[in-house]
Amino acid sequence: MCDTVFSAFTQPISEWVWRNRYRAGRDAGISLETRIEDTWERVAHALAQAEASHQDEWARRFLHALKDFRFLPGGRVLANAGISGSVETTLFNCFVMDQIPSETLTMMERLQESMLTLQAGGGIGCNFSLVSREAYASLDAEHASGRVEAVMKLWDAACAATTDSRPRRGAMMATLRDDHPDVLAFIDAKRSRHGRSQTLTHFNLSVLVSDALMHAVANDAAWPLVFATAGTVNRTVCVMRARELWQRLMDAAYESAEPGVIFIDRVRRLNNLAYCEQIHATNPCGEVPLPAYGACNLGSINLAKFVVDAFERNAHLDFAGIASTTVIATRMLDNVYEVSAFPLAKQAEVARSARRLGIGITGLADALAMLGLQYGSTEARDAAEHVMSLICQTAYRASTVLARERGAFPAFDVESYCAAPFVSALPADIVATIRKYGIRNSHLLAIAPTGSISLLANNVSSGIEPVFAGIAKRNVVDRHGNMREWEIEDYAWQQLHTRFGRGAKPTPALLAASGVDADSQLAMQSVLQRYVDSAISKTISVAQSIDRSRFDDLYRQAYGLGLKGCTVIRQGSLASEVVTPLSATEPEFCDFSMRDCLPRVS
């Protein structure tokens, strides 16, 4: 059958992404899809199979949400729902593995579990804080040989062997305690001046920064590096100044954009399931902190598709449409648990005990520009806060309805759950309903970076990131490992030209949509985090010439704003730039979040 012209796509790169990452057929056990509509229909019908009755009606409703890129399920759902005969069968984007131990046999068992998960199409998060060596007793912090890095290289090599021949290379997150004896080697693992820039290419790195370290940095206190197991300190290896450790972390972030930081005590304190699980790591992009063997189940509401009368004086958001889409998205993602395979039986057990969802948003910056609101303005933050509050409350209400129909998630304990800080802060009627009927999903919200699915949706602005550029060059690796360069146009810019012609003058809000300062990015992140029970994958993009003290202060500012983590990316700090502007009027620095996935949790 010959391929046809796809009316849903307005940019060549969007069609290419669909063909190479999400179109099913060939070896998938079904007919080759010739339209994006075929993909939407496949996904809608596959998820409707979890319904006890009226499957055709639910498939119709699911299809309506998917059409025109209103709701974008996670990439594994788009690629794998309804297919058979492929090793990449899981519908879950990512998992967190059990902590990596020092004991060799158990370590190899963890490696095997990790590779099976990567082979099934899921990214993974790994915590290496239990890795140790007996020689620590005679080593100082500066010259420790870095057993953690050696073990990470083993995972990195195995990931490459397992996934590098596929269209989507394996992605991993490595985390380490801030008081681990190998923390300095971990911090330096990707610093180019140490000659290590080509290692650990499949890993994102994040240090688990505790409240204690932040207080020690503020007070210029001593900071012990210790080996600990099961939360018990076994040995203090050495003592250093907290500010020395912090400065080493800032130096690495300035040079190589890694590691990011996860404010782990805050993550644990605000976890809805703190009463029954412990968090040591996140998924590779950082938006979902998870316990061992936990899974990500993600989807994004494309706000740019809910703007009515874009660029007009009366431009506004269709809040009723956003709310109804959120209800359907909640049901669709809950159904994923019934129709998806899991790489490991333990993952199925842990994931289904909580039934976490991660409903988020994408296209925020484009939507704001189409509404005439400048991303960095108070009015824009107010609008974003209103829509995220609506999605949050609607999702929680929808999950209580599902609980009445299907039952609460197995790990639900009414008193402990309702006492959780995020849950107890919900409107009183939602908390009362949870107490009466339970809730189907322990968590409902997470904002992912949405790199590939935003490209699929005709290059809407990614996640909550500012617009990168009106027109840019984008590098994408094809299934053969070759780099392809595309010229792309931002969705809002394209909509302006479609509505008013190529000669239309950009609005002030559209011109200001790129080059947003760091303070405004952090402020937007902080406002939205209030309505997200998991986390937000967001990178703070700054110019190459940013002052060092100013760069360092952004991390402390993020902590003070109540974020769950932070990553700042400076132009030139990455080995290669995935996106570069073509217009001379665009800012000189890049929003590196246009990569398929960069940390971080926030």
Side-chain angles (χ1 to χ4, degrees):
M1 180 180 294
C2 296
D3 286 346
T4 59
V5 176
F6 305 93
S7 59
F9 295 122
T10 59
Q11 300 199 47
I13 192 173
S14 301
E15 181 182 333
W16 184 91
V17 167
W18 170 70
R19 288 176 181 271
N20 287 272
R21 294 197 173 180
Y22 304 120
R23 176 169 67 162
R26 296 188 180 94
D27 300 326
I30 62 175
S31 300
L32 180 66
E33 294 171 351
T34 60
R35 311 171 305 148
I36 182 65
E37 288 82 358
D38 297 333
T39 302
W40 291 331
E41 290 174 3
R42 166 174 55 80
V43 172
H45 284 283
L47 296 183
Q49 297 308 301
E51 299 293 337
S53 60
H54 306 293
Q55 291 181 352
D56 289 344
E57 174 60 21
W58 284 114
R60 185 189 65 79
R61 296 184 185 185
F62 295 167
L63 181 60
H64 178 74
L66 294 168
K67 276 188 172 179
D68 203 26
F69 306 110
R70 293 181 187 89
F71 176 61
L72 299 164
R76 296 305 86 203
V77 174
L78 287 173
N80 294 339
I83 72 169
S84 61
S86 171
V87 70
E88 298 182 357
T89 54
T90 185
L91 305 192
F92 292 88
N93 267 42
C94 301
F95 302 82
V96 161
M97 311 308 296
D98 203 354
Q99 293 191 86
I100 313 302
S102 283
E103 194 272 319
T104 302
L105 181 60
T106 308
M107 182 186 293
M108 292 302 100
E109 291 173 353
R110 298 286 185 269
L111 179 61
Q112 182 184 36
E113 291 178 338
S114 296
M115 295 309 103
L116 288 171
T117 303
L118 290 163
Q119 186 180 38
I124 62 174
C126 299
N127 180 271
F128 292 89
S129 297
L130 296 184
V131 175
S132 66
R133 63 164 63 237
E134 292 300 316
Y136 275 150
S138 61
L139 296 175
D140 62 35
E142 183 65 30
H143 298 97
S145 57
R147 174 95 190 280
V148 165
E149 187 178 358
V151 175
M152 287 167 57
K153 286 180 180 178
L154 178 62
W155 255 252
D156 198 68
C159 181
T162 304
T163 69
D164 277 4
S165 61
R166 300 181 180 179
R168 182 182 291 271
R169 296 169 70 242
M172 301 185 290
M173 169 71 83
T175 61
L176 194 75
R177 291 191 341 263
D178 57 12
D179 61 350
H180 191 281
D182 260 359
V183 66
L184 295 179
F186 182 85
I187 286 170
D188 287 340
K190 286 194 173 184
R191 290 180 71 177
S192 57
R193 74 179 181 87
H194 288 259
R196 302 174 181 174
S197 58
Q198 300 305 311
T199 65
L200 304 178
T201 57
H202 295 80
F203 270 115
N204 291 324
L205 308 181
S206 285
V207 176
L208 302 178
V209 172
S210 61
D211 290 343
L213 177 61
M214 297 304 296
H215 295 154
V217 171
N219 297 317
D220 193 21
W223 186 251
L225 300 185
V226 303
F227 176 66
T229 57
T232 301
V233 174
N234 301 121
R235 185 185 309 119
T236 297
V237 176
C238 72
V239 177
M240 62 186 303
R241 306 305 299 176
R243 288 184 182 176
E244 180 186 351
L245 172 61
W246 183 258
Q247 194 57 53
R248 187 77 156 260
L249 178 56
M250 293 298 98
D251 289 346
Y254 187 86
E255 291 179 17
S256 60
E258 292 195 72
V261 301
I262 296 172
F263 299 122
I264 188 61
D265 290 334
R266 182 171 291 154
V267 167
R268 291 170 176 167
R269 188 164 55 247
L270 298 180
N271 179 16
N272 288 356
L273 294 184
Y275 62 88
C276 64
E277 66 181 27
Q278 183 73 289
I279 302 293
H280 295 284
T282 73
N283 69 321
C285 296
E287 69 272 16
V288 186
L290 290 167
Y293 300 107
C296 294
N297 186 6
L298 305 173
S300 300
I301 295 171
N302 182 0
L303 297 182
K305 287 295 181 179
F306 293 91
V307 178
V308 180
D309 296 327
F311 302 108
E312 303 283 2
R313 286 183 178 273
N314 63 333
H316 61 281
L317 283 171
D318 175 12
F319 290 113
I322 293 171
S324 62
T325 301
T326 301
V327 172
I328 294 298
T330 304
R331 194 177 190 101
M332 290 175 71
L333 293 184
D334 187 65
N335 285 0
V336 166
Y337 282 96
E338 270 55 66
V339 302
S340 178
F342 286 83
L344 305 172
K346 184 67 173 177
Q347 291 166 341
E349 176 187 345
V350 171
R352 287 173 177 155
S353 72
R355 305 187 71 88
R356 273 178 169 85
L357 308 186
I359 299 172
I361 57 176
T362 194
L364 172 65
D366 279 337
L368 293 174
M370 294 159 71
L371 292 168
L373 301 175
Q374 296 190 14
Y375 187 102
S377 67
T378 301
E379 293 78 10
R381 288 193 291 275
D382 288 346
E385 180 176 18
H386 182 73
V387 74
M388 201 65 227
S389 173
L390 172 66
I391 292 171
C392 170
Q393 294 179 26
T394 302
Y396 267 83
R397 289 191 169 99
S399 188
T400 63
V401 172
L402 285 175
R404 294 180 66 178
E405 177 184 338
R406 301 174 173 178
F409 66 91
F412 177 70
D413 177 85
V414 61
E415 295 301 330
S416 300
Y417 186 81
C418 290
F422 190 92
V423 177
S424 62
L426 292 168
D429 68 295
I430 296 180
V431 178
T433 305
I434 293 172
R435 285 187 172 277
K436 185 173 183 179
Y437 298 110
I439 191 165
R440 182 65 172 169
N441 314 98
S442 69
H443 299 69
L444 277 298
L445 296 310
I447 300 180
T450 68
S452 293
I453 60 173
S454 291
L455 276 179
L456 177 74
N458 295 310
N459 194 34
V460 295
S461 57
S462 177
I464 67 166
E465 304 290 352
V467 171
F468 168 68
I471 300 175
K473 291 188 300 181
R474 170 75 187 240
N475 293 323
V476 181
V477 178
D478 66 20
R479 64 176 62 243
H480 304 294
N482 301 316
M483 187 72 71
R484 296 193 56 172
E485 183 178 276
W486 299 84
E487 181 175 312
I488 59 175
E489 184 176 13
D490 173 72
Y491 178 82
W493 283 78
Q494 188 178 62
Q495 289 299 299
L496 177 74
H497 296 147
T498 299
R499 289 173 65 88
F500 304 109
R502 282 285 161 185
K505 183 179 179 181
T507 63
L510 193 55
L511 286 173
S514 56
V516 178
D517 65 83
D519 287 334
S520 296
Q521 294 181 59
L522 281 170
M524 180 66 79
Q525 196 173 352
S526 175
V527 163
L528 296 181
Q529 182 61 72
R530 301 170 194 167
Y531 305 97
V532 176
D533 51 20
S534 288
I536 303 171
S537 181
K538 170 78 179 79
T539 56
I540 306 302
S541 306
V542 297
Q544 185 174 26
S545 59
I546 185 172
D547 179 76
R548 273 306 308 271
S549 61
R550 170 65 174 144
F551 179 91
D552 297 358
D553 187 59
L554 291 174
Y555 287 83
R556 300 196 203 195
Q557 188 176 341
Y559 181 74
L561 285 170
L563 301 184
K564 294 182 178 179
C566 184
T567 291
V568 182
I569 297 186
R570 183 181 61 91
Q571 181 194 16
S573 60
L574 296 176
S576 62
E577 296 183 3
V578 176
V579 190
T580 54
L582 289 178
S583 170
T585 62
E586 298 298 338
E588 294 182 355
F589 63 88
C590 292
D591 176 359
F592 291 99
S593 68
M594 297 293 288
R595 294 165 67 94
D596 281 346
C597 175
L598 280 172
R600 284 339 231 217
V601 67
S602 64

